[in-house]
Amino acid sequence: MNDNFLRACRGEKTDYTPVWLMRQAGRYLPEYQEIRAKYDFMTLCKTPELAAEVTLQPVRRLNVDAAILFSDILIPLEPMGIKIEFPEKGGPVLTSPEDMNQFKEINPEKDLPFVMETIKILLKELDIPLIGFSGAPFTLLTYIVEQGSSKNFLKTKKFMYGESKQFHKLMELLSDTVIGFLSAQIKAGAQAVQLFDTWAGILTPRDFKEYVLPHVKKIIGPLKGNVPVIYFVLNGGTFLEYIKESGADVIGIDWRIDIGMAIDRLKDGVAVQGNLDPCELFLPEEKLFERITDIIKKGMRSSIRGHIFNLGHGILPETPVEKARFLVDSVHEISARLRK
Ligand code: CP3
């Protein structure tokens, strides 16, 4: 088993800088498009053989150092009593019961058995670690309150400021859901987990600290020590110090902050994951190679516990597959050479 990814998470020596790509399974891959033409997205997520196959596609193509379970952050909301649709165009659409008190507590093994079955299939196939994941409670809450994606998240902020008791109550319910869901994935065999907090970066640092951080700490606390926990906040560069307080083993960063500056601010005790702009994959190879080298060199600074190379957010559907492969090969080649 190639365990460079897990070793980097734990701050142990690695042969090279491990790399995987957020959203590495998906529409930029022709073999994904082929399966997707036959099944809708939810069917893919809920059919273990299909979800496992789609998880493996980028592993075969790209030679990445970790696989991420194919699913979606919104999947555990369905058994809570929320209707979720993924229309062919535009973002997801959610319909929730009027009364928040009607949300149900979920039992992951009973309500989402297909996720654990997918993990079990994958463990037999993979010789790299499998990452499980969940949406973080605030990001899940925004999808519930906004009934989908949003521009300025006014409904979420009105709810947070105007009905803060109810807000925290929903955050608590979602946190319990996340703890149960991630624990079930770990029990099934996931070797690391990532919490995606795509929308926490819309908050002021003060509001992140007051409304989000206590809940995330409560989730990470019991999971830590089990498997490495990665916490990724899109747009979180302005309050990295607070993000570090979450207790995560690895902090994911987007491309809006220089990774060297992020490392200086994170200080010791955590590893860092990131941070190439997904659009940089559209640079000519020579220029891209320079950017990759710069990130790797900064990631090798001794003040940080470890570095996992990744994009700063999901790979774009328009990305040429060869460019993604070039990225992974370059990370391996450059970082192995720099270690000599
Ligand atoms: O390869 C992987 O990374 C694993 C699978 C994965 C998906 N979604 C598959 C997916 C993961 C980890 C996610 C996380 C996710 N989903 C996030 C957090 C990360 C991020 O990107 O910020 C969020 C916010 C979602 C919610 C979501 N799912 C949206 C807004 C959309 C529509 C927009 C889009 O990108 O298509 C989805 C759909 C989705 N999730 C697709 C995939 C492959 C596209 C579905 C399709 O084939 O049409």
Side-chain angles (χ1 to χ4, degrees), residues 29-36 53-54 57-58 61 321:
L29 287 176
E31 55 270 39
Y32 174 82
Q33 297 279 21
E34 213 173 285
I35 293 194
R36 191 55 184 79
E53 168 57 24
V54 172
Q57 287 176 343
R61 271 270 199 177
V321 183

Side-chain angles (χ1 to χ4, degrees), residues 83-145:
K83 199 171 130 219
I84 298 157
E85 288 161 293
F86 286 93
E88 286 303 318
K89 280 217 166 87
V93 180
L94 287 78
T95 319
S96 308
E98 282 285 305
D99 179 4
M100 229 189 73
N101 295 312
Q102 287 179 13
F103 288 138
K104 293 191 274 275
E105 262 182 56
I106 74 158
N107 173 339
E109 266 108 2
K110 225 175 88 226
D111 296 326
L112 308 164
F114 48 88
V115 172
M116 275 44 86
E117 281 165 35
T118 305
I119 294 175
K120 286 184 179 143
I121 297 174
L122 286 168
L123 290 179
K124 290 189 215 134
E125 301 282 330
L126 287 167
D127 57 6
I128 50 175
L130 176 66
I131 304 170
F133 72 89
S134 170
F138 181 75
T139 291
L140 295 176
L141 180 142
T142 68
Y143 279 99
I144 295 172
V145 174

Side-chain angles (χ1 to χ4, degrees), residues 21-27 32 36 41 68-74 86 90-92 133 139 143 149 196 198-199 313:
L21 309 180
M22 287 194 275
R23 292 284 189 101
Q24 64 190 19
R27 284 167 300 187
Y32 174 82
R36 191 55 184 79
F41 177 62
I68 181 158
L69 172 75
F70 188 82
S71 183
D72 196 83
I73 61 163
L74 303 179
F86 286 93
F133 72 89
T139 291
Y143 279 99
S149 309
F196 284 94
T198 307
W199 301 124
H313 199 193

